[in-house]
Amino acid sequence: MNALVAAPIVLPIAGAALSIVIGRSRAAQRLLGVAVLVAVAGCAIALLIEVDSNGPAVVQAGDWPAPIGITLMVDRLAAIMLVLGSLMLLGVLVYAIGQGRVDGEEHRHVGFHPVYLVLSAGVAGAFLTGDLFNLFVSFEVMLTASYVLLTLGGRRSQVRAGMTYVVISLVASALFLTTIGFVYASTGTVNLAQLSTAMSELPDGLRHALALLLLGVFGIKAAVFPLFFWLPDSYPTAPTAVTAVFAGLLTKVGVYAIIRTQTLLVDPADRPAGLLLTIAGLTMAVGVLGAIAQSDMKRILSFHIVSQIGYMIFGLALFTVAGLAGAILYIVHHIVVKTTLFLIGGLVEHRAGSSDLDRVGGLLRTAPVLAITFLFTALSLAGIPPLSGFAAKFALVDAGIASSAWIVVGVSIVVSVLTLFSMTKIWAGVFGGEIDRDRDEPRPMPALMLGPTIALAGTAIAIALAAGPLYDLSERTAEDLLDADRYRLEVLGS
Amino acid sequence: MTVILAAAAAFVFACGTYLLLQRELTRIVIGLALLAHGANLFILLGAGRRGNPTFIGDDPSADYLDPLPQAFVLTAIVITFGVTTFLLGLSYRSWVLTRDDEVQDDLEDRRVAKRTTPTEVEVDLAEVGAALDAEHQREAEHHNEAGPDEWETP
Amino acid sequence: MRRSTILDVSTRMVTVTTLVLSIYLLAAGHNQPGGGFIGGLVGGAAIALAYVGGGLERVRAFTRLQPWTILGAGLVVASLSAIVPLVMGRAVLEQGFVSLDLPVLGKVKATSALVFDTGVYALVLGMVLMAFEALGEERTPGSSTGSTPGRGEAS
C-alpha cells in the first residue's frame, strides 16, 4: 500500500534520471518511458480500486507523523484523476514516439523523454499531495517540465509563446508563494487537513481574503474567465503531442486544485458560490465565442478548453453532491475527449501540412478513419446523445436545475450549441470540401500515431457506455469531498 | 524588524512588477526573480508568529524560531534558481533568433486583430500574410539547428 | 585585449578552495548549515569563477563527463534514496543513520540523507555546467570585439 501510493511520483522521477543517463540510445529511452508510464497507470488503477472499496489511503513521507511530515493522501478524487492522467500521458507518449519516427525533431530530442517523465511526476504529485506547500512544489515541477516541453526545438514562434507562458506561470507562482506565506502566517500550518479547521477559526475578512487568493492563484493555472488569456496563445505552438497533454491535463490540475481547496479549506458557510457561478458562466461564454472567431483548428480547440473549464467550475459552484458529481464526470470526459481532439489535430497537420482551416480540406475522402474518429469525439465534446459529453452535461444541467441556477444552465445549453457550431466549422474546413490539388501528396499516417488516437476515442465511447457506474463513482467522490471531517480523520487520525 | 522586512518585501515586489512590465526580456527575467524574492521575504515574515515547531523532543519550543518558513524559502529558491536559468536560456535563444532583446509580437494575433477591425488600414493583410510566410520560412531554416541547450530538470 | 594574469592566477586558486568548501558544506549538511543544494551552489560558484578566469575551455576542463550525465547520475542517486526504503518495506524517503568512530575525525554520524544530498549536489553541479555549456562563449571573455554567439549566424 505504502509503495503503491508513492510509486506514481517516485517511479517517473527515477525513470527520468535513468533516461538521462541512457540518453545515447533513443530506443532505450522510448522503451523506458513507456514501461514507466505503464507501471504508473497500473499503480493508479490498483489505487482507485483499493480506495473505492477500502477508503482513502494516507502515507507519511519519511514516516514523520502528519502535521510535521509530508503527507501523501489518495482519496477517490485523487485516484480518479491519477488514473486518467497516467492513461493520457501513456497514450500521448506512444503517439509522440510515432511522430518522432516520421517527423518532428522535437519528439526525437534527447531531452524529450526525461522531461516528459518529470512532467508526469509533477502531475501525480499535485494529485497526491496532502499539503499546500507540496502542492506548490508539484505545480512547479510540472510547470518547469512544461516550459521545457513547450520550447523544445527552439523555433521562433515557440520562443515567443513560451515566453508568455513562462512569465504568466511564474507570476502565478509568485502569487501562490505569497498566498502560502499568508496562510502560514495566519494559521501556522500548511497541512490541508489541519488547515481545514484552522481556517475556519480565522476572522471573517482574513478568511475570505485567503479563499479568494487561493481561487485567483489556481484560476490562472486553470484558465478561468478573466485569467485565461495566456492559454490560446501559447498552447498551439507546442509540438502536437505536448499540446495534447497540456490541453487534456495541465489546466485540469488547476481545476483539481480549485475543487480541493474550495471544498476542503473554505468553510461551508462562506463558500463563494455566487462568484464561482458568475465565473463559470463567463468562462463558458467567452471561451466559445473566442473559438468561433478563430480559423485554425488548434486555436479553435484551445479556446474550447477555456469554455469547457467553465462547465467544471459550474458543477463546483453548486456545492451539492449532484453538482460536484457532474463536475467530476465532466472532467473525466473532458480529459479524454480533449486529448483525442488535439491528437487528431496533430494528425491533420501531419497529413495535410497545416491545421489552418483555409489551407486544408477534403480529408474525409483521403483519411476516412480520421474523419470518423473526429466526428465521434467532436460530437461528444458538443454533448450530443448518447456520447460521453451528453452524460456529463446532462448530469450538470440536472444538478443546476435542482439548485435553480437557471441563468448558468441556460448559458451552458447555448454554449453547447455554439460548440457544435464550431465543431461543424472544423468539419467543413478540414474534412469536407475539395481536396487541394496544389498541395503535396498527403503523407501516410503511422500506426503509432493513429493507434493511440483511436484508442483514446474508444475510451471516450467507453465512458459513454459506462456512464451509469461512472456517475455512481462520481457521486461517491462528491460525497467524500463535501465531508471535510472525513479527510481530517484519515490524515490526522483524530 | 517586522516592519522593515515588510517594507523590504513591498519594495522588492514593486521593483519586480515594474521590471516585469518592460519590453526587454532581460528586464523581465530580473523582474520575475525579484518577484520570487519578494515572496520569499514575505514568507520569512510568517516565521515571526509561531506555528507548531517542527522539533520533536523535550526542549522548550519557545527557544526556537519556527524553521518551517525557512525550509519553504529554501525550496522556493531552488525552484527560482532552476526557472531563472531556463528563462535566461530562453531569452538568449530569442536574441539569437531575432537579434533583439524585446518581446516579439504575435503575427497571428495581429492578423486576427486586422480581421476584426477593418477600419484600420495601415497594415495590409497581404503584407501580414507575407510576413507570416517569411516567418514559416525562417522557422524551417532554424528547425535543424536546435541544440540540446534548453533542457533542464527542476 | 589579453586576459589579466592576476585574474587568471587568482581565480585558479579561489576555484579550488571554493570547491573544497562546497564539499565541506555537502558533508556538514545534516545537522549544520549546508546540504546538497547549498554545496552544489557553492560548487557552481567555483565553476563560474573558472569561467570568468579562463572561459569555457576551463569549465570543460573540470570533467570529461557530459553535463547531463552528471545531472542524470545525481537524479538517479537522489531517487534511489527514495526507492530503497520502499523496497525495504519502509516509508518513502525514510532515513536511517549510524554512528561511526573514525580515526582522526572522531565520532561521526553518517545518515542516509547524505546519499540524497550527494545526488542533489551532482544535480545542481550538472545543471550549472549545462547552463555554461548552453550560454557560455567559446572564446574567452573580452578577447573579441563583439559578443556574437557561435550558433544562429545564419539568421
Side-chain angles (χ1 to χ4, degrees), chain A residues 105 109 133 140 147-148 151 153-157 159-160 163 166 170-171 177-178 182 184 233 299, chain B residues 20 40 42 66 68-69 72 79 83 86-87 93-94 97 104-106 108 135 138-139 143 146 150-151:
Chain A
E105 291 288 314
H109 196 288
F133 191 74
E140 287 307 307
Y147 307 151
V148 180
T151 51
R155 280 183 284 121
R156 187 173 165 154
S157 61
V159 170
R160 188 197 56 73
M163 210 70 201
V166 175
L170 282 183
V171 171
L177 208 53
T178 317
F182 272 121
Y184 191 79
D233 195 34
R299 282 202 169 220
Chain B
L20 194 63
N40 287 339
F42 187 78
D66 186 2
L68 208 51
F72 291 165
I79 293 169
V83 175
F86 175 74
L87 264 178
R93 179 77 191 162
S94 176
L97 288 173
Q104 298 168 40
D105 281 328
D106 186 1
E108 201 83 32
E135 166 96 340
R138 241 173 286 138
E139 258 172 33
H143 209 75
E150 50 262 320
W151 60 281

Side-chain angles (χ1 to χ4, degrees), chain A residues 127-145:
Chain A
F127 292 149
L128 293 180
T129 184
D131 78 59
L132 202 58
F133 191 74
N134 277 289
L135 188 61
F136 168 75
V137 173
S138 306
F139 260 114
E140 287 307 307
V141 170
M142 178 181 92
L143 288 174
T144 310

Side-chain angles (χ1 to χ4, degrees), chain B residues 27-145:
Chain B
R27 292 193 185 191
I28 292 177
V29 174
I30 296 171
L32 281 171
L34 279 182
L35 271 188
H37 287 319
N40 287 339
L41 272 181
F42 187 78
I43 291 184
L44 278 184
L45 271 173
R49 185 170 157 180
R50 214 166 306 279
N52 292 324
T54 307
F55 298 102
I56 305 175
D58 304 328
D59 298 320
S61 58
D63 291 349
Y64 296 116
L65 187 65
D66 186 2
L68 208 51
Q70 279 146 32
F72 291 165
V73 168
L74 183 63
T75 315
I77 289 174
V78 174
I79 293 169
T80 319
F81 167 72
V83 175
T84 311
T85 320
F86 175 74
L87 264 178
L88 281 173
L90 199 61
S91 49
Y92 175 75
R93 179 77 191 162
S94 176
W95 184 76
V96 165
L97 288 173
T98 62
R99 295 282 147 170
D100 193 4
D101 189 33
E102 295 201 338
V103 179
Q104 298 168 40
D105 281 328
D106 186 1
L107 289 169
E108 201 83 32
D109 254 10
R110 267 196 259 154
R111 196 160 71 158
V112 172
K114 190 78 220 86
R115 186 181 299 170
T116 48
T117 52
T119 44
E120 282 177 41
V121 279
E122 312 113 45
V123 192
D124 191 5
L125 196 64
E127 200 179 298
V128 177
L132 261 183
D133 284 345
E135 166 96 340
H136 286 306
Q137 191 74 33
R138 241 173 286 138
E139 258 172 33
E141 278 165 19
H142 275 294
H143 209 75
N144 297 327
E145 36 180 301

Side-chain angles (χ1 to χ4, degrees), chain A residues 62-338:
Chain A
D63 217 15
W64 295 93
I68 297 165
I70 296 170
T71 307
L72 297 179
M73 158 92 186
V74 200
D75 58 359
R76 288 197 180 96
L77 180 63
I80 291 174
M81 298 298 285
L82 202 59
V83 168
L84 278 169
S86 51
L87 285 180
M88 289 313 109
L89 282 162
L90 179 61
V92 173
L93 183 65
V94 175
Y95 180 95
I97 290 171
Q99 192 168 28
R101 286 188 155 184
V102 284
D103 63 2
E105 291 288 314
E106 287 97 357
H107 301 110
R108 268 204 303 271
H109 196 288
V110 61
F112 179 80
H113 287 273
V115 177
Y116 193 83
L117 286 176
V118 170
L119 177 85
S120 75
V123 171
F127 292 149
L128 293 180
T129 184
D131 78 59
L132 202 58
F133 191 74
N134 277 289
L135 188 61
F136 168 75
V137 173
S138 306
F139 260 114
E140 287 307 307
V141 170
M142 178 181 92
L143 288 174
T144 310
S146 74
Y147 307 151
V148 180
L149 286 177
L150 190 74
T151 51
L152 213 58
R155 280 183 284 121
R156 187 173 165 154
S157 61
Q158 282 184 322
V159 170
R160 188 197 56 73
M163 210 70 201
T164 320
Y165 177 69
V166 175
V167 168
I168 294 291
S169 305
L170 282 183
V171 171
S173 299
L175 196 60
F176 193 177
L177 208 53
T178 317
T179 308
I180 289 174
F182 272 121
V183 169
Y184 191 79
S186 51
T187 61
T189 179
V190 285
N191 185 293
L192 288 178
Q194 273 198 328
L195 272 181
S196 65
T197 41
M199 288 266 283
S200 57
E201 288 158 9
L202 295 175
D204 268 355
L206 192 55
R207 217 168 53 215
H208 292 301
L210 289 182
L212 280 183
L213 268 175
L214 285 171
L215 183 61
V217 166
F218 298 127
I220 300 179
K221 317 257 181 202
V224 298
F225 166 58
L227 308 168
F228 68 89
F229 48 85
W230 55 271
L231 187 146
D233 195 34
S234 53
Y235 276 15
T237 54
T240 311
V242 173
T243 315
V245 166
F246 284 16
L249 219 49
L250 293 205
T251 44
K252 260 53 74 185
V253 181
V255 174
Y256 168 84
I258 291 182
I259 293 180
R260 179 66 84 200
T261 49
Q262 296 298 323
T263 53
L264 187 61
L265 300 191
V266 182
D267 211 43
D270 45 39
R271 280 173 177 152
L275 176 71
L276 280 173
L277 269 182
T278 320
I279 291 177
L282 285 169
T283 310
M284 286 183 216
V286 173
V288 85
L289 291 178
I292 287 173
Q294 298 297 316
S295 69
D296 183 280
M297 183 168 171
K298 277 182 168 182
R299 282 202 169 220
I300 294 179
L301 292 176
S302 295
F303 269 102
H304 273 298
I305 302 174
V306 177
S307 166
Q308 316 278 308
I309 299 286
Y311 284 92
M312 300 164 199
I313 303 296
F314 169 38
L316 168 69
L318 298 174
F319 286 110
T320 58
V321 170
L324 271 169
I328 292 161
L329 192 59
Y330 199 89
I331 293 176
V332 170
H333 138 80
H334 172 88
I335 290 181
V336 176
V337 165
K338 202 83 226 180

